[in-house]
Amino acid sequence: MILSDVDILRRLEDGDLAIEPIDDLDQQVQPASVDLRLGERFLEFQRANIPCIHPASADEVGEYVTETFVEEGEEFVLHPGDFVLGTTKERVAIPDDLVAHVEGRSSLGRLAIVVHATAGLADPGYEGQITLELSNLGTAPVALSPGMRVSQLTFTELTTPADRPYGEERGSKYQNQDGPQASRIGSDPEFDDDDDADAGESGGAGEA
């Protein structure tokens, strides 16, 4: 079951679903979604510094990105073909009986801006800001302003609450993230030399 605006407002009032800060409920709560705003921090990817990225090497991943801070009222220009990591201004906390889906806004999609490549899911139990995978698929640069509504969340109710929700207890690597986070795929168990690693300890798709 997908939550309607009535369901979303009830869950927000009850406090088991949290989205903060919401400055304007009437504007941000849509018929079956909640609009989220663009944050002020971006991770930009550098070109040609290394021949390739090895996912298991945290040093290589770190060398490949630089952080840029853009204050509200200023602009981040996303050029054609560029890919950057952004973040939502809002922090979310998803209860164990819901899964949230990160979607783009139609108005930005019509400018060829997409907000996620694959990380479109926030697992039950996920808490933190949401990293946005921003790409410009068009032919003209587009100016993005922190504070603008850039994405939306829809919510699906599970038939039963998750028995092992996303979180620190299972070692979920993006729990409580603050700002955009670069890939931590190197901590996945398939890259771990320890044969006893628990394949479930890296968490689910809460890296949205």
Side-chain angles (χ1 to χ4, degrees):
M1 181 184 73
I2 297 175
L3 268 58
S4 71
D5 52 358
V6 174
D7 301 318
I8 292 169
L9 289 170
R10 176 176 54 80
R11 300 291 292 258
L12 289 172
E13 184 176 355
D14 291 345
D16 59 343
L17 169 64
I19 305 174
E20 297 176 343
I22 293 183
D23 289 343
D24 190 334
L25 276 175
D26 288 338
Q27 182 184 67
Q28 289 185 248
V29 177
Q30 301 296 322
S33 64
V34 178
D35 286 344
L36 300 183
R37 295 164 295 170
L38 184 63
E40 299 175 329
R41 294 157 63 186
F42 301 85
L43 291 182
E44 298 187 72
F45 291 79
Q46 306 305 304
R47 303 179 189 274
N49 289 341
I50 51 179
C52 68
I53 297 175
H54 297 90
S57 174
D59 290 341
E60 289 183 0
V61 173
E63 290 174 2
Y64 190 53
V65 297
T66 58
E67 186 170 24
T68 299
F69 182 85
V70 180
E71 294 184 355
E72 288 198 27
E74 298 182 0
E75 296 177 341
F76 182 91
V77 178
L78 191 61
H79 291 272
D82 275 0
F83 173 81
V84 302
L85 297 179
T87 184
T88 59
K89 181 176 181 178
E90 291 81 6
R91 176 184 175 88
V92 305
I94 310 300
D96 295 351
D97 66 333
L98 295 182
V99 60
H101 305 269
V102 183
E103 310 286 354
R105 294 189 65 221
S106 172
S107 295
L108 280 176
R110 297 172 198 219
L111 297 176
I113 300 298
V114 298
V115 303
H116 74 80
T118 61
L121 195 70
D123 273 332
Y126 174 74
E127 297 184 16
Q129 291 177 313
I130 294 176
T131 293
L132 301 171
E133 302 161 337
L134 299 165
S135 296
N136 183 345
L137 304 182
T139 58
V142 177
L144 303 176
S145 301
M148 68 183 293
R149 289 177 293 144
V150 70
S151 66
Q152 54 187 341
L153 283 185
T154 62
F155 303 92
T156 302
E157 188 172 12
L158 306 180
T159 55
T160 59
D163 184 52
R164 299 182 64 230
Y166 198 89
E168 296 176 357
E169 289 186 4
R170 61 178 294 159
S172 302
K173 54 183 179 286
Y174 300 109
Q175 185 73 321
N176 293 311
Q177 66 182 6
D178 179 27
Q181 300 295 313
S183 175
R184 297 176 182 171
I185 194 172
S187 64
D188 283 359
E190 56 263 40
F191 298 116
D192 195 335
D193 291 334
D194 184 357
D195 293 335
D196 294 329
D198 180 359
E201 289 306 302
S202 63
E207 56 255 3

